[in-house]
Amino acid sequence: MNFSGKTYVIFGVANKKSVAYHICREILDGGGKVICSIKDESMLLLTKKILPEADFFICNVENETDIAKVPDEISKHTTKIDGMVHSIAFANYSEGLKPFHETLKKDFLQAIDISCFSFISLSNALKELFNKDASVITISISSTRTTAQNYGYMAPIKAALDSTVAFLAKSFSEFSNVRFNSVNPGLLKTSASAGIPGYIDSYIFAEQLTLRKKNLTTPEVASTAAFLLHPCSSGINAQNIIIDAGMGVNSFDEVVINKATH
């Protein structure tokens, strides 16, 4: 897709395995410009090395002062932006996997602050910088109703994020045509997912359930995100776009049932 003359702010680039990195590549390869936000100085050298064409600034979304400074940081590079990517999530599994009913309040509140509320805060902070027809996306998950025990309290938080998409779209419609959507992928092989207890087993199982018997790839998710950022998707707003290679319709796959019952 042609992104010439377009500028996007990307939150969440971690490394070459991250969804945000691949979205950056889609935009840059299409002739666009990206301004990347990273959490702290320790990440700066790494991200500059993997995205030398990008501009950077530091923002820890847990810090309201950092969020308030975001417009000024972006204004150092451009006067207007054509969209934002929110690819930020965090869950504290440092005390090991707990039953959902034993979720610690401090862990839940920190996770919803970083993974969901930051989407609202950043959107609000950037409202004056968005072009009238800008596109904003966040990265969610394919199903918030599937009770994956090892994902724990993050599924309800992603459900809140999905709902937030619609409420932001409605709220911004009062004064602009800025669109809000989420990309909701199935299981991916990323560094972030590697921190989820037992994730590799879930990943292998998910691959068996896809219709093509091949797991979803991060570049595929990035391509969907790039489409939603591009003006060619101008009619799509307030939607949660599932991309899971058909896994969601294939619960009773014959091959998987045979393996489980024989």
Side-chain angles (χ1 to χ4, degrees), residues 54-253:
D55 292 316
F56 293 89
F57 68 94
I58 293 172
C59 176
N60 180 348
V61 297
E62 288 188 272
N63 188 326
E64 291 185 6
T65 302
D66 276 17
I67 291 178
K69 291 178 180 177
V70 167
D72 291 336
E73 292 290 345
I74 294 172
S75 295
K76 294 175 184 178
H77 307 286
T78 188
T79 56
K80 286 289 183 179
I81 57 175
D82 297 285
M84 179 185 84
V85 174
H86 173 272
S87 184
I88 305 171
F90 176 80
N92 181 13
Y93 296 116
S94 62
E95 296 187 25
L97 190 62
K98 293 178 178 292
F100 179 73
H101 61 271
E102 294 180 11
T103 299
L104 298 177
K105 181 179 180 179
K106 66 179 180 65
D107 290 345
F108 188 90
L109 294 181
Q110 182 187 32
I112 201 163
D113 182 27
I114 296 173
S115 309
C116 179
F117 188 74
S118 65
F119 186 44
I120 304 169
S121 296
L122 291 169
S123 298
N124 183 52
L126 293 178
K127 63 180 181 294
E128 301 299 333
L129 285 178
F130 286 133
N131 277 320
K132 185 179 180 182
D133 298 313
S135 176
V136 180
I137 65 168
T138 187
I139 308 300
S140 185
I141 59 174
S142 60
S143 176
T144 56
R145 295 287 295 170
T146 300
T147 54
Q149 288 177 290
N150 60 335
Y151 202 52
Y153 57 85
M154 279 302 291
I157 288 171
K158 290 292 190 177
L161 182 65
D162 285 355
S163 179
T164 295
V165 166
F167 277 84
L168 282 171
K170 176 66 175 178
S171 186
F172 268 67
S173 71
E174 300 286 338
F175 57 88
S176 77
N177 292 329
V178 177
R179 298 182 292 121
F180 290 82
N181 294 288
S182 67
V183 177
N184 299 50
L187 280 73
L188 294 171
K189 189 182 290 185
T190 65
S191 297
S193 63
I196 300 172
Y199 186 85
I200 188 62
D201 291 335
S202 299
Y203 181 82
I204 293 170
F205 179 69
E207 184 165 54
Q208 295 178 46
L209 278 180
T210 64
L211 295 176
R212 66 190 186 188
K213 304 303 180 186
K214 179 183 176 184
N215 241 324
L216 193 63
T217 68
T218 308
E220 286 177 317
V221 177
S223 293
T224 302
F227 166 70
L228 290 172
L229 291 171
H230 196 274
C232 67
S233 63
S234 60
I236 302 176
N237 195 11
Q239 300 300 311
N240 310 125
I241 308 298
I242 293 174
I243 171 170
D244 67 356
M247 184 180 72
V249 302
N250 204 28
S251 300
F252 294 96
D253 180 81

Side-chain angles (χ1 to χ4, degrees), residues 5-24:
K6 304 288 186 184
T7 300
Y8 297 88
V9 180
I10 315 292
F11 291 85
V13 176
N15 50 52
K16 285 189 174 182
K17 292 182 179 180
S18 65
V19 174
Y21 167 80
H22 286 278
I23 296 172
C24 286

